[in-house]
Amino acid sequence: MTSESKEKQSKNDEPSALRSLIAGAGAGVICTLLCAPLDVTKVRLQVQGTLGNKNFYSGGIYSSLKKIYLEEGIRGVFKGVGPALVTVPLFWGVYWPIYDHMKKRCENNNLGISERTGHMLSALVAGVVGDVITNPFWVVRTRIQTLAMHSEVKMSSEITTIQMMKFIYETEGWKAFYKGLGASFLGLSHVAIQFPLCEYMYLSLIHI
């Protein structure tokens, strides 16, 4: 193989922003659909202690999921899947191109930092941007998922993402869309660990 063909092959192997976006968004859609029932159950179990009725879901995951299905049907099990199908693909569609770009910048600009630190910094920057862009949709998704638990809120259980966004804005203002953003930033510690570790393991396995 000539040096020119090697260079061409190397460029082809590098992840482009478009490929990263498509791959990240596509994986996000599949993951969202497969995990939606568990996600609804998790969120309801997490918030039920704050709603006055602490025994709303008294059993474990399976019994809680069964209760949701029996009382609300298949639509109840997939509550919030609309905003989730926007949020998860959007987050990863934003995350991967930024991560790849930042990683290249850290590698090529001789910043005086180690490779692992560069990967960690890239993961954090990509995560922060993704969180800021998608946080409004996370808020909307959680509100829709837990709507059935709020008997004092007179709202149709079939409310759409747009309707919920309008309701939140009219009743609480635009700042409500960024509730929990600080906690989301703290949660980025997992990507700061996961992706540098992933890069390290990937490079290690190449030589096996």
Side-chain angles (χ1 to χ4, degrees):
M1 184 180 289
T2 64
S3 60
E4 183 178 351
S5 61
K6 286 181 179 179
E7 183 178 353
K8 185 177 180 181
Q9 180 65 38
S10 177
K11 288 182 178 180
N12 289 335
D13 290 339
E14 291 181 0
S16 69
L18 180 59
R19 277 188 293 168
S20 294
L21 188 152
I22 293 173
V29 168
I30 295 171
C31 179
T32 298
L33 290 173
L34 291 176
C35 298
L38 291 175
D39 189 59
V40 171
T41 306
K42 179 199 73 172
V43 170
R44 292 197 182 183
L45 287 171
Q46 286 176 332
V47 305
Q48 68 175 345
T50 66
L51 302 177
N53 186 352
K54 296 185 178 181
N55 296 318
F56 204 93
Y57 298 103
S58 56
I61 295 174
Y62 175 75
S63 61
S64 299
L65 182 58
K66 184 179 178 180
K67 178 180 172 68
I68 295 171
Y69 175 73
L70 292 176
E71 294 182 352
E72 303 173 51
I74 193 68
R75 290 187 177 183
V77 172
F78 283 90
K79 276 279 174 67
V81 74
L85 283 173
V86 175
T87 310
V88 178
L90 179 60
F91 178 86
W92 291 113
V94 168
Y95 182 93
W96 282 112
I98 295 176
Y99 176 74
D100 289 334
H101 175 73
M102 285 295 301
K103 190 171 67 168
K104 287 182 196 175
R105 291 288 297 271
C106 290
E107 291 172 351
N108 298 332
N109 286 359
N110 298 320
L111 299 178
I113 58 177
S114 67
E115 185 177 57
R116 293 182 189 178
T117 301
H119 293 162
M120 185 179 296
L121 179 63
S122 302
L124 287 172
V125 171
V128 166
V129 175
D131 274 352
V132 170
I133 292 174
T134 61
N135 202 77
F137 294 103
W138 290 121
V139 172
V140 171
R141 183 201 64 164
T142 302
R143 298 290 183 89
I144 291 176
Q145 287 178 331
T146 59
L147 189 59
M149 301 172 71
H150 294 268
S151 57
E152 73 280 4
V153 179
K154 305 302 180 183
M155 188 179 296
S156 171
S157 60
E158 304 303 323
I159 189 171
T160 66
T161 301
I162 299 299
Q163 290 171 329
M164 179 59 82
M165 293 185 80
K166 183 179 179 181
F167 174 78
I168 294 172
Y169 178 75
E170 290 177 346
T171 57
E172 302 175 58
W174 66 268
K175 290 183 179 180
F177 291 112
Y178 288 92
K179 286 183 176 179
L181 183 59
S184 295
F185 286 160
L186 292 176
L188 289 176
S189 57
H190 84 276
V191 297
I193 297 171
Q194 178 183 352
F195 288 94
L197 184 60
C198 179
E199 296 277 1
Y200 172 77
M201 293 180 69
Y202 173 77
L203 293 174
S204 299
L205 290 171
I206 288 178
H207 300 98
I208 294 178

